[in-house]
Amino acid sequence: MNEEAQVDRIILKPNCEYRFEVQGEDEVLIRLSSGTAELFGVELAKDRDYRFRKCQLAIFTWHGCELVVTGKCAVSYTSDETPMASIVNIHTQLDQIRIKAMNTKTAGPRVLITGPTDSGKSTVTQILLNYALRMGRKPTFVDLDVAHGLLSVPGTITATPLETNCMSVEDDFILTAPIAYYFGHASLKDIPELYKYQVTELAKRVDQRLANDAEVNASGIIVNTSGLIDNEGYQAILHCIQALHIDLVIVLGQDRLYSELNSAVGSTLTVIKLPRSDGVVQRSNQLRHQLRMDGFHTYFYGKKIPNAVPTQSLYEYSPHVVELAFEDINIFRVHDLKVSDVMLPVGQVDDVQRLRVLPVDKGPELAHCIAAVIHQSNVKDDDLGMDPQSLLDASAAGFVQIKAVNVQTNRITLLVPCHATSRMPTGLPNYDLATGICVC
Ligand code: ADP
């Protein structure tokens, strides 16, 4: 931040928010100089500079505050129209259920948030999670948005129990190792059967985790979903509701979806609607693509180091480049075989039979693909050796990028992350035996 950076003082009245957008390489520092304020549910400390890059966010105050903003926002304005009163109302009711669950040693609330893309699902999820964390609860966050997940690389579905120390103003959450299943596509409609299969697997893992910890169980789960709400997307929402034993569905800004879900599941669970905040920013396809690329970059390189000197690394992490012989790595991809392809009568083909894990030919077209690395212990053997179908049930140990494939030398070059803690699963297994599910 240079010394002549623009400085603005923003006075926020009670129940108002300051919305701002930082673009490109710009950086903005925001300090709370008086009063109280929160960013998507996380309280700002007083007199501390928070640093923001490439983001669209809002700082809300219940009682009024003054903010000092240093640097150039592409967009900034204040608004007194926010859905915060409704969100805090939902939170209060969820917390009553948590207290009761804790006293009776039963399961806490299981909430699923749905709505079209850019309706504010991730934001409402974050606020509800952060409010629960502020009460000292340990809610489990399940992120099923393959396009823009908050917990791992794009293309994954993930889950993790959170604790108070996961809260962060500058990051979505501070995490170590969420359970992640690599779906490998930006839209669930690319292979809906696999999406549903992985949601079921993730749900089983979540249930196992909750069964072992009464406090986590009583804190319940909050599920963020993909923005696809028609056809395959709608079927996927119904599947997620059932697989994760949801008891409250929050529909953001879509009367039709609310009405459809209410008719489909309203007799067995509660469906409510919440207005979409005007602050939620509509992102173009180009921006979405860029955000996904940024997500991969952050996984390997971490965040940009502020004021890094030219001799220093610009980013937190320095990934390795590793070269392996073809025989040292197995790469697979999941295919959804149509009913006709599996040569069985209609009605006798279940999802597992349709989903086939097949080896991928190693060739130059794999360059730039991201592959999930699976722990060897998660791969089962059959009579002929390794059973690729067992990869379907395996969560990702971490991710690599295929940089190049040389068919002359039969060698493959990988970019491998190198960091102790991050937003993603780490601790990659033995690379000599690495097994990947690769997706272009
Ligand atoms: P969805 O999950 O439905 O796609 P998001 O919650 O990710 O939508 O919101 C889309 C974008 O709008 C995100 O960049 C988010 O940070 C931003 N956003 C959400 N609420 C606000 C707000 N009140 N003011 C400014 N930006 C916001």
Side-chain angles (χ1 to χ4, degrees), residues 17-20 40 55-58 77 115-124 126 145 148 224-225 252 277-283 288:
E17 68 185 17
Y18 172 66
R19 297 173 182 162
F20 63 99
F40 294 166
C55 58
Q56 298 134 339
L57 301 166
Y77 62 101
T117 306
D118 293 338
S119 56
K121 296 180 298 301
S122 314
T123 306
V124 172
Q126 265 175 285
D145 186 357
H148 297 286
N224 181 31
T225 52
L252 274 160
S277 160
D278 276 346
V280 177
V281 178
Q282 295 277 348
R283 294 167 290 189
R288 282 170 197 295

Side-chain angles (χ1 to χ4, degrees), residues 60-319:
F60 175 81
T61 181
W62 289 105
H63 306 292
C65 71
E66 186 184 40
L67 303 171
V68 180
V69 180
T70 310
K72 186 169 144 269
C73 294
V75 179
S76 66
Y77 62 101
T78 59
S79 171
D80 58 1
E81 281 184 27
T82 80
M84 292 303 285
S86 309
I87 296 177
V88 86
N89 191 8
I90 295 172
H91 159 72
T92 309
Q93 293 181 34
L94 294 178
D95 217 54
Q96 300 287 329
I97 304 173
R98 289 188 187 108
I99 294 168
K100 205 165 149 205
M102 190 63 91
N103 292 337
T104 51
K105 302 230 174 322
T106 49
R110 287 175 164 244
V111 184
L112 179 136
I113 295 156
T114 183
T117 306
D118 293 338
S119 56
K121 296 180 298 301
S122 314
T123 306
V124 172
T125 307
Q126 265 175 285
I127 298 173
L128 288 175
L129 285 166
N130 284 322
Y131 279 175
L133 293 171
R134 276 165 66 177
M135 307 296 293
R137 316 289 175 227
K138 296 182 177 173
T140 296
F141 178 18
V142 180
D143 198 347
L144 305 180
D145 186 357
V146 284
H148 297 286
L150 298 177
L151 298 179
S152 188
V153 295
T156 46
I157 60 165
T158 46
T160 188
L162 299 175
E163 295 194 16
T164 316
N165 58 8
C166 299
M167 282 198 283
S168 168
V169 171
E170 290 166 331
D171 293 310
D172 297 327
F173 291 104
I174 299 169
L175 297 168
T176 47
I179 308 166
Y181 281 83
Y182 190 42
F183 177 67
H185 302 263
S187 169
L188 71 88
K189 82 169 178 255
D190 289 344
I191 172 162
E193 294 308 320
L194 177 61
Y195 182 82
K196 288 195 260 177
Y197 186 85
Q198 290 183 327
V199 168
T200 307
E201 287 305 304
L202 186 70
K204 283 187 212 157
R205 296 276 296 270
V206 168
D207 284 345
Q208 281 163 5
R209 175 73 179 79
L210 267 60
N212 289 328
D213 189 330
E215 205 183 341
V216 174
N217 193 25
S219 295
I221 65 174
I222 301 195
V223 184
N224 181 31
T225 52
S226 136
L228 198 70
I229 53 166
D230 290 327
N231 309 321
E232 303 94 337
Y234 180 70
Q235 293 307 322
I237 297 169
L238 292 179
H239 180 84
C240 299
I241 291 173
Q242 185 233 330
L244 286 148
H245 316 296
I246 297 300
D247 38 47
L248 170 68
V249 177
I250 301 175
V251 183
L252 274 160
Q254 245 264 356
D255 283 348
R256 199 187 87 200
L257 180 63
Y258 166 74
S259 155
E260 281 172 1
L261 283 173
N262 210 8
S263 320
V265 295
S267 57
T268 49
L269 51 97
T270 311
V271 184
I272 58 172
K273 64 179 168 178
L274 194 64
R276 177 186 180 282
S277 160
D278 276 346
V280 177
V281 178
Q282 295 277 348
R283 294 167 290 189
S284 64
N285 285 344
Q286 195 191 355
L287 179 60
R288 282 170 197 295
H289 177 77
Q290 188 53 49
L291 287 172
R292 282 194 283 277
M293 293 303 115
D294 291 349
F296 289 120
H297 191 274
T298 306
Y299 176 69
F300 290 101
Y301 293 90
K303 290 211 293 187
K304 202 165 180 188
I305 299 172
N307 309 321
V309 288
T311 50
Q312 199 188 344
S313 165
L314 282 180
Y315 293 95
E316 283 175 292
Y317 316 127
S318 307

